[in-house]
Structures are given as C-alpha cells and as structure tokens.
C-alpha cells in the first residue's frame, strides 16, 4: 500500500481522543471538547473515569496503545491524574499526552512557593459537606417553585425568573440550582397579567431579585407548536402579543431581562449571576 | 516595614484568582477550582465571562493590575481566550497568566497538522441546534417522570432510576438530563412494593434500563428527619427496613445499583453512564 492511500484511509477515520481522570472526568471532557471544537475535523471522545489505581492505569495505557496500533495515528490523551505514579504510566503510552493538571500545578508551585498535596478526590464537593447539602436543598427549592407552583418561601429565593410560558425559565432554574446551589424560583407571565397590566401581586415585594427571560416570538411559536400543534396558545399572533406585553411590562417595572433565543442555558445562567450579583455558593 | 512583617500580612490575604473567558468561563472555573484545591491555602476566585472585545480585555487587564498593586502579589490568571489579540492584552498584565487554551492548541496544531480556527463561541451547544433541543427535551422528560409521576412514555426513557424515597434519584435524573441530554425517569420503591416483594409492575418490561440507588440507613434517616422530623417515615428503624428490603429486591431482580451515601451527583451520574453503557448525547 502506498503512503498516499494510507493517508486517505487515515483521514476518513475520526481521531480518537481519551480523557483519563481519577475522578469523573466531566470537567476535563467539557474542556477538551471546547479545545477540539477549534479544529475542523472529527474526533471520537472516550472518557475514562475513576482511574485511581496503578492497575487501572495499566489497563487504560493498553487501550491507548491498541488504538495507536489499530488507527495508525497517535490518539490524543487528555489527563487529569493527580497521582504521579498512575500519571507516569499514561504518559509513557503512544498517545499525544496533554497533561491538564501537572502543566498548571508546576508554575503554581513555583509562584505560590508551596507544594501541591497530590490528593485525589478534591474536585467535586464531598457529598457530606454543607456546600453539597445546600446544593441539594437548592434543587428541591427550584423544583418546588417551578412555574409558580408555590408562593411559599419566595422570600428565601435567591432569584425569581419571570417570563411567558416556554421562554426557558425551568431549565435555567434547575441549572442555577445544580451548578451553583442558587435557589431559583420561576414564575410565569400569563394573559391575565397582561390584561391587568401588572406584575403578579405576589411578586411586588421581591422586585429586586426578579430577572426576566424573553424570546423571539417566531421561535416561541415553534416551541409551543411542538407541544400543542395548531393551538391559539402556539400561534405566531398570540406569541407576538404575549412577548410584546411581557417586554413592555418588564421595561415599565424596571426589571432586568435578556432574550433566551440564541443563548445556551450556561450563557443565560452566567448573565443572571452577573446581573443579580449573586455570590457563588461554594 | 521589614520584609518579614510584610510577608505575614500577605499570608493572611487569600490569593486572588481570575478566570478570564470569552464565553461563560464555567468550565474553566470548575477546572481552575480543581487545580487550586491541590494547594492548602485560601483563594478568592473571580470569574470574568464574555470578554469578547479588545475594550473588555483592556478593562479586565486593568482590574488584574490593580489587584497586583493592592495585594502586593501577582494574581493568578487562568485564561481561555480564543482571540489572539485579546489574549495578548491579558498576557501582558502583572498576573501569573496560565493559558488553558493556547497551551493545548499549539501541540494539537502540530500533531494534527492543522491550524485551529480561533473562532469564539464554539464551546457551548448552539441554542438553535438539534443537540440543544434534545437536551431541553430530556429535561422536560425527567421532570415529567420524576418520582414515578407518569408511566407514559417510559419506553423512551434512557434510564430509570429506582430507590427508596430520598435516596438521591431526583438530583441525579436532572443532572443526567441537563449535562448529557439523557432521558432519566425515576421511580420510588414504597412500602407496598416490599410487602408484595415485587418490582412495581409497570417496570417489569424495562428491567434492562433500571439502575438502583441505595443509601446508608443512618444518613437516610437524617435526610428524612429534615423534612418530617420525628415521623415513622424518618425513623432509623423504618429507614433500615426500607433500605434492606430495597437492596434485597434489587439483588433478587438482578438490578445494578450503587450506594449514593458518599458520592456526589457527578460521581453517581458517571457510574450510571458507564454501567448502562449509554452513548453520550453530544
């Protein structure tokens, strides 16, 4: 086989990428994904979590070497291994090893004039910690206060999301709770509110912690049509009316808001945290 | 002031850490947090998201330099800036700049023999993409199928979490949906199931996608007591009974399970994805 035909075969295969971690590897995977998104080619990402012993390290080393022999190109290997012995095993493989941990630990040790502890399992909050319990409590709170289900304890909400039905309030509330331990209630704006031209009266006293979500009427109509096809609720005309009324109301009441149309949950949550100036719960 | 007294003052201040990103900076923040957790000292983490223009880069550069002048020590600066001009502005500050992007882009460009696109905003799924819609759909599914609320469409569930009340099913389901677009239903095991000594009959046909959560009875009793103090439901005796019956049933039915007692949501979710061999939805 000529070199040329071999390179054609190689190009048609997605490059294999390993994410090797002693923990879940979730953060490393997301991070690797964002780096690889900068290259216009296909990758096959394999997350290998819980590599917390030499035996497991040797196993994954073998998998990496096998891919090298099968594919004929070096797999990319992102590692976040705290233990130096397991790390060495993976570094010695045929992969291109990108060490996401040691790369930054070394300059930090010099800058801080302090040795790192090399302790495994410091990444995620301990399930027994207060911070972790707060996070679970925030999830329960956000679930209980989804879609205006309960007016009880709105006082303890960190933020109250406001917007028309299907503007993105629920996923954003849950994300804020899960990721940040933020108690996020959410409250729908319904046609009755537009006729009264007033905020739901329950919310009057909590105006400073309300954040609005709006959405493009065309997109809203699409989303609502998936749920209730052909309904008045989903019609473009009604969506235009509701969105317009909601935006007029939020402007009049001085409520900060953003359009969720082209934003990911992460982008919406980040903007809310900035605007409401919530301290992050750690 | 002698050098010594100055170093005492310095030690008492937490070191300032900036996370500077052109996107949300959420992944970089989590990652930085896990690296800093390796050092036994206090840090003050400041996430600066959406730095997507030269003006904003100059603003954050000034903030970094001001901290250096105020604190008298270099702030640590993690960056994930794709644009090389804004990146250069931050690199020229007085901070210890740890470039989490370029550090890995460079070796990858060599290995892949391909220039990176240097395009901003490739990190999070586009809110208009199919993948993103799937994720929202998964969240709605998990909410609708929380705590056995609905038996409809269990066929389309990717996984059905099973366990006694308060064993961690709900947060895990929501996390699987939000992070991975996995449709995770959850179903409670209740005293009636233990008397009948059978799985809830709705679940018989879905056994291969059931995953069980158990929990230490003492911990369960604590959690339940927060909700219903002094109740039979929360008593240690009852918790011991329910957990034992649940574990016996799961063993008998050949259902895989884990104990959630000392595990974070991320660890539970990762184990479930491994065991159920779900392809990750990207």
């Amino acid at each position: 086989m000529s070199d040329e035909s071999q390179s054609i075969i190689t190009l048609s295969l997605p490059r294999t990428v390993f994410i090797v971690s002693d923990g879940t590897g979730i953060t490393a995977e997301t991070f690797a994904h964002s780096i690889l998104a900068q290259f216009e080619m296909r990758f096959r990402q394999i997350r290998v979590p819980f590599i917390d012993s030499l035996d497991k390290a040797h196993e994954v080393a073998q998998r990496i070497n096998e891919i090298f022999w099968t594919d004929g190109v070096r797999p990319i290997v992102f590692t976040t291994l705290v233990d130096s012995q397991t790390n060495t095993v993976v570094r010695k493989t045929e992969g291109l090893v990108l060490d996401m941990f040691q790369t930054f630990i070394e300059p930090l040790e010099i800058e801080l004039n302090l040795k790192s502890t090399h302790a495994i399992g410091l990444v995620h909050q301990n399930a027994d910690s207060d911070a972790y319990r707060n996070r679970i409590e925030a999830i329960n709170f956000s679930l209980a206060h989804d879609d205006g289900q309960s007016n009880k304890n709105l006082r303890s909400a960190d933020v109250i999301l406001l917007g028309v039905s299907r503007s993105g309030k629920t996923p954003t509330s849950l994300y804020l709770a899960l990721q940040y331990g933020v108690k996020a209630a959410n409250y729908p704006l319904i046609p009755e509110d537009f006729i009264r031209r007033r905020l739901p009266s329950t919310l009057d006293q909590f105006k400073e912690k309300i954040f609005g979500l709006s959405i493009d009427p065309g997109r809203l109509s699409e989303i609502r049509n998936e749920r209730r096809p052909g309904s008045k609720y989903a019609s473009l005309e009604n969506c235009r009316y509701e969105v317009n009324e909601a935006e007029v109301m939020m402007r009049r009441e001085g409520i900060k808001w953003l359009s969720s149309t082209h934003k990911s949950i992460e982008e919406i949550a980040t903007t809310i945290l900035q605007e409401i100036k919530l301290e992050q719960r750690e």
Side-chain angles (χ1 to χ4, degrees), chain A:
Chain A
M1 203 189 283
S2 73
D3 275 342
E4 205 181 307
S5 68
Q6 211 168 13
S7 89
I8 289 167
I9 292 167
T10 306
L11 278 174
S12 70
L13 279 175
R15 183 72 80 108
T16 304
V17 178
F18 286 92
I19 292 103
V20 183
S21 173
D22 46 41
T24 65
I26 292 173
T27 309
E29 178 180 52
T30 312
F31 196 61
H33 184 74
S34 73
I35 289 170
L36 296 172
Q38 293 295 319
F39 293 93
E40 288 182 334
M41 60 180 285
R42 289 188 306 142
F43 297 98
R44 180 169 67 113
Q45 255 178 258
I46 303 173
R47 176 162 58 108
V48 192
F50 305 132
I51 302 303
D52 51 8
S53 71
L54 269 176
D55 281 355
K56 290 184 191 168
H58 282 293
E59 252 174 65
V60 70
Q62 199 179 330
R63 278 181 74 185
I64 292 166
N65 290 335
E66 276 167 9
I67 292 285
F68 169 66
W69 295 321
T70 321
D71 291 0
V73 287
R74 296 207 283 177
I76 315 294
V77 183
F78 288 95
T79 64
T80 57
L81 296 166
V82 175
D83 178 68
S84 50
Q85 279 190 294
T86 52
N87 201 21
T88 305
V89 171
V90 178
R91 270 180 173 275
K92 282 188 181 156
T93 61
E94 303 289 349
L96 170 73
V97 179
L98 300 172
D99 189 330
M100 300 173 88
F101 228 75
Q102 208 49 38
T103 305
F104 300 113
I105 292 285
E106 278 164 7
L108 279 169
E109 285 184 336
I110 295 165
E111 174 68 25
L112 302 172
N113 195 20
L114 191 69
K115 280 277 159 202
S116 70
T117 56
H118 283 278
I120 291 182
L122 300 177
V123 181
H124 294 294
Q125 289 164 342
N126 189 307
D128 309 319
S129 71
D130 283 346
Y132 190 79
R133 285 179 205 189
N134 285 345
R135 205 172 147 206
I136 300 292
E137 204 187 305
I139 296 167
N140 291 333
F141 183 92
S142 293
L143 276 177
H145 294 81
D146 183 38
D147 204 32
Q149 270 179 68
S150 166
N151 297 332
K152 249 177 65 185
N153 299 328
L154 276 182
R155 196 169 300 280
S156 22
D158 296 309
V159 61
I160 302 170
L161 300 183
L162 186 73
V164 300
S165 161
R166 298 284 126 190
S167 54
K169 302 182 300 297
T170 297
T172 306
S173 309
L174 293 174
Y175 184 82
L176 282 167
L178 266 166
Q179 182 79 10
Y180 292 106
V182 165
K183 287 182 180 160
N186 74 76
Y187 219 94
L189 282 177
I190 55 174
E192 285 83 329
D193 300 316
F194 304 137
I195 293 164
R196 288 168 61 242
R197 297 193 165 258
R198 289 198 48 212
L199 273 187
S201 57
T202 339
L203 301 183
D204 278 342
Q205 54 182 317
F206 304 119
K207 247 159 85 171
E208 78 291 345
K209 59 184 177 188
I210 297 177
F211 194 94
L213 294 185
S214 193
I215 184 169
D216 171 74
R219 179 79 191 105
L220 181 63
S221 173
E222 265 176 55
I223 296 171
R224 288 184 172 184
N225 264 308
E226 281 166 27
R227 289 232 147 177
R228 300 205 213 147
S231 62
K232 179 183 177 244
Y233 164 80
S235 71
L236 184 57
E237 196 195 342
N238 181 55
C239 289
R240 277 200 186 119
Y241 165 74
E242 286 194 27
V243 168
N244 180 56
E245 289 291 327
E247 293 185 358
V248 166
M249 184 181 294
M250 293 191 288
R251 271 197 206 96
R252 193 176 52 224
E253 302 277 353
I255 290 168
K256 287 184 184 166
W257 57 278
L258 60 75
S259 166
S260 68
T261 315
H262 301 289
K263 286 194 161 62
S264 68
I265 302 172
E266 287 83 354
E267 287 164 340
I268 299 171
T270 297
T271 305
I272 292 170
L273 291 174
Q274 275 190 306
E275 293 287 338
I276 301 275
K277 304 259 185 309
L278 281 167
E279 286 299 308
Q280 191 185 324
R281 277 75 180 155
E282 284 276 347

